[in-house]
Amino acid sequence: MKTVFLFLLLCFGVSLQSCSKEPVKPDNTEEEINDESNANESEDEQQHPEDDSSDGDEPSKQWNLIFTEDFDTFDDLIWTKETHEAGWVNNELQEYIEACVSVGKDGDKSVLILTAKKEGDKFYSGRVNSKGKKSFQYGKVEASIKLPKTANGLWPAFWMMGDNDRQWPACGEIDIMEMGEKAGIANNTTETYINTAIHYGPNVEGHEQIFQTKTMEKSLQDGNYHVYSLEWNENELIVKVDDILIKTFNIGPDSGRFEYFNDKFYLLLNLAVGGDFPGITDPAQITALKDGEKAQMFIDWVKIYN
């Protein structure tokens, strides 16, 4: 989610301790890898110029369900509630606190709830991860999520990072779903504009990313649950929404990326407020939350298959 703003690192001496430390997404789009060589793609569908992956339909595969999280309770043997100060990464405005992570009801569903709120001039929100508790290598993971209206300023995400001792980006990062990006705000397509990406490289200075954005035909913030999925093998990362293909990333042995995505990865879910991704760092420009208001991201279930 989160590429590196190098001059901030140089100026402030930020140290990425491990893959639990989230990197910073650059404002300089030249640092992002994109390709407009495919004339059949819309302008927002951006790809690596050397990415020889295919975005065509893949043959169906029979998956074996090996893990289900229904969030009947908050299982701290699987999940960790993260706490971080405002501005921890990406110039985000929220403080992550445990009180903004809960399990509750949404109609007849028992769900994980990440709550973003504004109190005075401060923002608070929730973030969880399964680092060191639940990770997997290869297979399929999917989550059923109901997103809030991101408007101007909310940044929900479902993503993964390598469950290893390597620093970012050498550990590898897979962003399955992010919404609220500044291009969607500018185009007035915040409810349909989705981003997926991978991040990798030997170190911060050598960080690379491949990203794909897509404008969906229908809103993903329509008050309904949508399924965000990743299919992962030694050659490919296939990202889908409601079984609609978003991007196939080539990570095979000849891609130069294999070593970064050939390990166990853990899961993350969070609801950020402001920051470099939406391009809003002034609290006054956050329209998604007013003082005393809340916005909530609901996760009905998470499933892993092999």
Side-chain angles (χ1 to χ4, degrees), residues 176-199:
I176 301 170
M177 177 276 291
E178 296 179 279
M179 293 197 77
E181 205 264 344
K182 53 192 169 187
I185 295 174
N187 296 331
N188 197 30
T189 56
T190 55
E191 294 191 21
T192 55
Y193 192 78
I194 187 170
N195 180 290
T196 182
I198 59 174
H199 300 265

Side-chain angles (χ1 to χ4, degrees), residues 237-252:
L237 296 165
I238 303 169
V239 178
K240 298 179 181 179
V241 179
D242 292 334
D243 212 31
I244 298 171
L245 180 65
I246 304 299
K247 176 67 178 174
T248 299
F249 298 98
N250 176 13
I251 58 166

Side-chain angles (χ1 to χ4, degrees), residues 109-124:
K109 300 178 184 294
S110 181
V111 297
L112 176 69
I113 305 172
L114 304 181
T115 300
K117 61 183 181 179
K118 182 180 182 182
E119 296 180 354
D121 60 352
K122 294 184 177 181
F123 297 91
Y124 302 91

Side-chain angles (χ1 to χ4, degrees), residues 24 50 53 58 65-66 68 74 78 87 105 111-113 122 136 141 162 185 195 244 256 274 285:
V24 179
E50 299 177 355
S53 62
E58 298 291 328
L65 181 65
I66 59 173
T68 301
F74 186 86
I78 301 294
K105 287 290 187 179
V111 297
L112 176 69
I113 305 172
K122 294 184 177 181
F136 72 103
V141 61
I185 295 174
N195 180 290
I244 298 171
Q285 295 179 9

Side-chain angles (χ1 to χ4, degrees), residues 63-68 134 136 138 140 303-306:
W63 296 101
N64 176 42
L65 181 65
I66 59 173
F67 171 79
T68 301
K134 188 65 182 181
F136 72 103
Y138 303 147
K140 177 180 178 179
K303 298 178 181 179
I304 299 174
Y305 307 78
N306 64 12

Side-chain angles (χ1 to χ4, degrees), residues 2 17 27 48 71 80 111 128 137 143 150 152 160 179 207 215 235 243 247 278 300:
K2 303 110 192 143
Q17 298 297 322
D27 286 331
H48 194 294
F71 296 110
T80 298
V111 297
V128 299
Q137 180 184 13
T150 55
N152 292 10
M160 301 169 59
M179 293 197 77
H207 164 257
T215 302
N235 294 307
D243 212 31
K247 176 67 178 174
D300 185 16

Side-chain angles (χ1 to χ4, degrees), residues 61-306:
K61 173 181 172 60
Q62 296 298 315
W63 296 101
N64 176 42
L65 181 65
I66 59 173
F67 171 79
T68 301
E69 171 62 272
D70 287 324
F71 296 110
D72 293 323
T73 61
F74 186 86
D75 189 348
D76 57 14
L77 296 178
I78 301 294
W79 304 100
T80 298
K81 299 178 182 180
E82 295 192 37
T83 57
H84 302 287
E85 294 297 321
W88 169 57
V89 286
N90 305 320
N91 293 310
E92 295 168 20
L93 299 175
Q94 83 291 326
E95 177 182 348
Y96 283 121
I97 60 174
E98 292 190 12
C100 285
V101 177
S102 62
V103 168
K105 287 290 187 179
D106 181 29
D108 61 352
K109 300 178 184 294
S110 181
V111 297
L112 176 69
I113 305 172
L114 304 181
T115 300
K117 61 183 181 179
K118 182 180 182 182
E119 296 180 354
D121 60 352
K122 294 184 177 181
F123 297 91
Y124 302 91
S125 195
R127 170 169 161 150
V128 299
N129 74 68
S130 66
K131 181 178 174 64
K133 298 179 178 181
K134 188 65 182 181
S135 58
F136 72 103
Q137 180 184 13
Y138 303 147
K140 177 180 178 179
V141 61
E142 58 183 4
S144 178
I145 302 172
K146 183 166 79 173
L147 295 172
K149 301 283 188 181
T150 55
N152 292 10
L154 290 185
W155 176 8
F158 170 42
W159 52 301
M160 301 169 59
M161 297 187 81
D163 204 351
N164 51 54
D165 294 328
R166 287 178 284 174
Q167 294 184 349
W168 187 91
C171 61
E173 176 181 335
I174 306 167
D175 300 329
I176 301 170
M177 177 276 291
E178 296 179 279
M179 293 197 77
E181 205 264 344
K182 53 192 169 187
I185 295 174
N187 296 331
N188 197 30
T189 56
T190 55
E191 294 191 21
T192 55
Y193 192 78
I194 187 170
N195 180 290
T196 182
I198 59 174
H199 300 265
Y200 59 97
N203 48 44
V204 167
E205 292 75 16
H207 164 257
E208 294 188 63
Q209 71 163 319
I210 306 171
F211 67 98
Q212 180 81 54
T213 61
K214 184 177 180 66
T215 302
M216 306 295 289
E217 291 186 2
K218 298 181 180 179
S219 173
L220 295 173
Q221 300 171 18
D222 57 0
N224 297 314
Y225 286 83
H226 296 273
V227 177
Y228 304 88
S229 67
L230 169 72
E231 299 172 21
W232 174 24
N233 59 52
E234 61 271 22
N235 294 307
E236 295 176 322
L237 296 165
I238 303 169
V239 178
K240 298 179 181 179
V241 179
D242 292 334
D243 212 31
I244 298 171
L245 180 65
I246 304 299
K247 176 67 178 174
T248 299
F249 298 98
N250 176 13
I251 58 166
D254 297 329
S255 68
R257 306 166 199 127
F258 181 78
E259 64 180 290
Y260 303 109
F261 300 98
N262 183 29
D263 205 345
K264 288 186 175 183
F265 273 58
Y266 66 92
L267 304 171
L268 299 102
L269 292 149
N270 67 280
L271 179 56
V273 181
D276 298 325
F277 187 75
I280 301 174
T281 56
D282 180 356
Q285 295 179 9
I286 301 293
T287 64
L289 290 172
K290 295 181 174 61
D291 190 14
E293 287 187 345
K294 296 180 180 179
Q296 294 179 312
M297 175 177 172
F298 297 93
I299 302 92
D300 185 16
W301 48 257
V302 175
K303 298 178 181 179
I304 299 174
Y305 307 78
N306 64 12

